[in-house]
Amino acid sequence: MHIHKYERWWMTFGVGMLIAFLVLLGVAAFADNINPPSGMQQIDPAKVAETPPFDKPGLHKDSDKTYDAYYVAQVFSFNPSSITVPAGSTVRFYVTSPDVVHGFFITHTDVNMMAVPGWVNLAEHKFARPGTYLLICHEYCGIGHQNMFGKIEVR
Ligand code: CUA
């Protein structure tokens, strides 16, 4: 089979770009350790309601300005739906899901992760300024997806 010279150049270019991007992805993931937010902690999705600390979702005070917030994301709500912390607090958000993949995004912060059945994901944020922050599910999870939200009150 005869392949035209220019066609061969394009094929070489295409395969070369594919290899270059895969190498960059590998370097970012393994050498730079850039990964999706995840505590790499596993949980049985069928037993979330009985597994501490997710049997009692909510806000737990860790120290003076540090809190742990345990969230269960489920069709179609967050538990807890609302938390209140003083301004200047650092909150560690632990999130899991007993059903399907949900999103966990807090507006005006860099907290942006997924709630994945079988996994506990973790993100941390310091709320310097008072205000109301919206927590939204930004992964399509079913017919009530658009109603899935919560809030973080910073006083
Ligand atoms: Cu949960 Cu979309």
Side-chain angles (χ1 to χ4, degrees):
M1 186 175 67
H2 175 255
I3 300 173
H4 193 275
K5 182 173 66 176
Y6 293 154
E7 193 69 28
R8 196 171 302 135
W9 288 359
W10 268 119
M11 283 162 63
T12 307
F13 178 75
V15 170
M17 289 302 279
L18 190 63
I19 290 167
F21 286 135
L22 284 172
V23 167
L24 286 174
L25 192 68
V27 168
F30 299 109
D32 297 341
N33 202 25
I34 297 171
N35 291 297
S38 172
M40 294 295 167
Q41 190 190 327
Q42 284 181 285
I43 184 169
D44 182 347
K47 294 197 178 117
V48 168
E50 301 119 66
T51 310
F54 293 98
D55 56 338
K56 293 187 187 77
L59 192 65
H60 299 254
K61 194 167 187 171
D62 195 45
S63 70
D64 195 23
K65 285 276 179 184
T66 313
Y67 293 84
D68 291 320
Y70 297 101
Y71 276 87
V72 176
Q74 62 212 345
V75 286
F76 295 100
S77 64
F78 291 104
N79 185 8
S81 62
S82 173
I83 61 170
T84 304
V85 293
S89 303
T90 298
V91 184
R92 283 190 290 261
F93 295 93
Y94 294 86
V95 186
T96 192
S97 164
D99 41 46
V100 298
V101 172
H102 297 278
F104 191 95
F105 175 64
I106 302 170
T107 54
H108 306 293
T109 72
D110 53 3
V111 177
N112 180 348
M113 55 180 166
M114 290 193 293
V116 185
W119 294 91
V120 177
N121 285 353
L122 166 64
E124 187 179 297
H125 186 75
K126 184 175 179 182
F127 292 91
R129 266 175 274 141
T132 301
Y133 296 75
L134 195 61
L135 162 63
I136 57 169
C137 175
H138 63 331
E139 291 283 339
Y140 183 75
C141 53
I143 195 138
H145 160 73
Q146 72 280 0
N147 300 323
M148 191 168 167
F149 60 89
K151 66 180 175 175
I152 290 101
E153 296 274 9
V154 181
R155 296 272 161 79

